[in-house]
Amino acid sequence: MAQQPAAPSNAARVLRLVHEDGPITRAEVTRRTGLNRSTTLALVGELVELGLLHEDVPVTGAPGSGVGRPSPVVRAAADVVAAAVTVEIDAVEVALVGLDGTVRARLVEPQHRPPTAAEAVETVGALLDAVRTTADRSRDRTGALRLVGVGVAVPGTVRVEDGSVQYAPHLGWHDEPLAGPLADRTGLPIRAANDANLGAWAERLAGSGRGVDDLVYLNGGASGIGGGVITGGRPLSGADGYAGELGHTFVAANGVRCHCGAVGCLETEASREALATAAGTAPDDLVGLAVALAAGRPETERVVDRQVAALATALRNAIHTVNPEVVVLGGFLGVLLEHVGDRIVDAVRAQSMTGMTDRLRIVPAALGTDVLLHGAAEIGFRDLLRNPLAVTTAVPVSAPADGAVPTTTQHDRDDAVEEARTA
């Protein structure tokens, strides 16, 4: 029987609350955590001393400050960072994301063909070295950034216990180790996960699904359509971390064969390339795609109609399974939604059971092209958020670490569920 993960300390609860919901007043921290005022004061003080939080005292009499002495505002530090990595068929990106959610630095390496796993490891390592040097040279008065972990978003199924990629069809990866070799290359703690699952959590924390406990996220990008599900305020991961592959939901009996081997998958029936080709735009030009769709050319609208029908069927399946409050559509699916307005939700309601869609909202993603960076940063911060004292081992961005850092523990399967829990 697996050992249950230890309950987070009160310091971890406070840090996670401010990281996810801040900036907030110290009085609100006390109210939200149920701790007494003196305990909150001590914990916030400790986290400020560690450089993880900052306190600002509002000016008395300022608008919104109320009567009496205002409560200090607590905010997460911007100079404590996680490296967020995205690996796609056409680009590898590395960014440093602050504990306050700000993107401090980024570098992108275009790929002329899908990289192999070994090539991706080397590219990420080189970009990480470069972005740390760039950030160090341009740092502001906050001083050197402190790097506490690395999160990697991969368009495929990733095993939670060891960070290996079981299958990334568009990259052509099968059973490829990733977290381990990348830890050996960088000397940093590495976590890897499916990109759409990370995008779902990012949208739930800071995007269109902020504060929503039951959410379905679908993103259409270079590697097809990925999906992620939040249910009861937790990510739905499944036994091995593979849950949420909504791009391979069956939507068309007479459809084309998918690269996964099945026929009629959503990502073959609602394809970014097919829509961009009909619109006459580059596949990655979402602004141009929106402009072209607005022209309403009949040949483009025929493709739109087919894709709306396929998407509505896939969403009907997801809604009947998890009963979300919000469906968030990102990438080209968000552009499609903006173009057709209520047609998608009307089509979903027309084929759903009574009551299943009464409160349903279908909305475009709010975090744009940075959604996966924010999601990857969250797993990069995982160890720190579980144990704030881990900041004492943080690596200055200008001094790459030597030697490998273990990427997993005995209880990572349990931790995979816990890592995204709110305090």
Side-chain angles (χ1 to χ4, degrees), residues 147-382:
L147 180 60
V148 298
V150 180
V152 185
V154 181
T157 52
V158 183
R159 279 198 298 268
V160 294
E161 58 263 49
D162 62 2
S164 293
V165 180
Q166 191 269 338
Y167 184 41
H170 293 276
L171 290 170
W173 297 3
H174 296 263
D175 292 317
E176 292 284 358
L178 181 65
L182 192 53
D184 292 340
R185 168 64 175 80
T186 64
L188 293 164
I190 309 293
R191 307 288 174 187
N194 171 263
D195 58 355
N197 287 337
L198 296 179
W201 189 248
E203 283 288 334
R204 194 249 179 189
L205 287 183
S208 295
R210 185 177 179 91
V212 174
D213 285 343
D214 297 280
L215 173 150
V216 168
Y217 170 77
L218 281 176
N219 185 72
S223 291
I225 294 178
V229 177
I230 307 295
T231 180
R234 298 185 182 185
L236 180 66
S237 60
D240 297 299
Y242 302 160
E245 286 292 334
L246 300 176
H248 296 282
T249 298
F250 176 72
V251 298
N254 59 346
V256 300
R257 185 166 298 278
C258 179
H259 54 77
C260 74
V263 171
C265 291
L266 172 62
E267 72 171 43
T268 60
E269 301 304 313
S271 158
R272 187 183 78 167
E273 284 66 30
L275 188 60
T277 298
T281 63
D284 59 351
D285 183 6
L286 297 185
V287 174
L289 178 62
V291 172
L293 291 181
R297 300 200 319 268
E299 59 272 27
T300 305
E301 287 303 305
R302 284 193 291 271
V303 176
V304 167
D305 291 344
R306 289 197 300 271
Q307 297 207 0
V308 166
L311 181 58
T313 299
L315 292 180
R316 185 268 316 267
N317 295 337
I319 288 161
H320 283 169
T321 303
V322 299
N323 186 209
E325 178 183 345
V326 172
V327 171
V328 179
L329 300 180
F332 87 92
L333 296 178
V335 176
L336 186 63
L337 174 66
E338 296 272 22
H339 174 61
V340 301
D342 291 336
R343 279 177 55 191
I344 293 177
V345 71
D346 289 344
V348 169
R349 285 179 173 147
Q351 50 187 307
S352 298
M353 292 175 60
T354 301
M356 293 292 291
T357 59
D358 286 353
R359 293 196 300 137
L360 178 69
R361 291 184 291 123
I362 301 179
V363 297
L367 296 179
T369 57
D370 285 346
V371 61
L372 297 184
L373 294 180
H374 287 287
E378 285 304 306
I379 57 172
F381 284 128
R382 181 196 132 182

Side-chain angles (χ1 to χ4, degrees), residues 131-146:
V131 80
R132 289 161 71 182
T133 300
T134 300
D136 181 62
R137 288 174 178 168
S138 62
R139 71 192 187 205
D140 55 26
R141 295 178 183 177
T142 60
L145 304 183
R146 290 176 292 167

Side-chain angles (χ1 to χ4, degrees), residues 14 26-27 29-30 33 35-45:
V14 170
R26 194 199 301 155
V29 173
T30 298
T33 59
L35 301 170
N36 62 48
R37 290 169 57 188
S38 61
T39 300
T40 300
L41 176 63
L43 290 171
V44 170

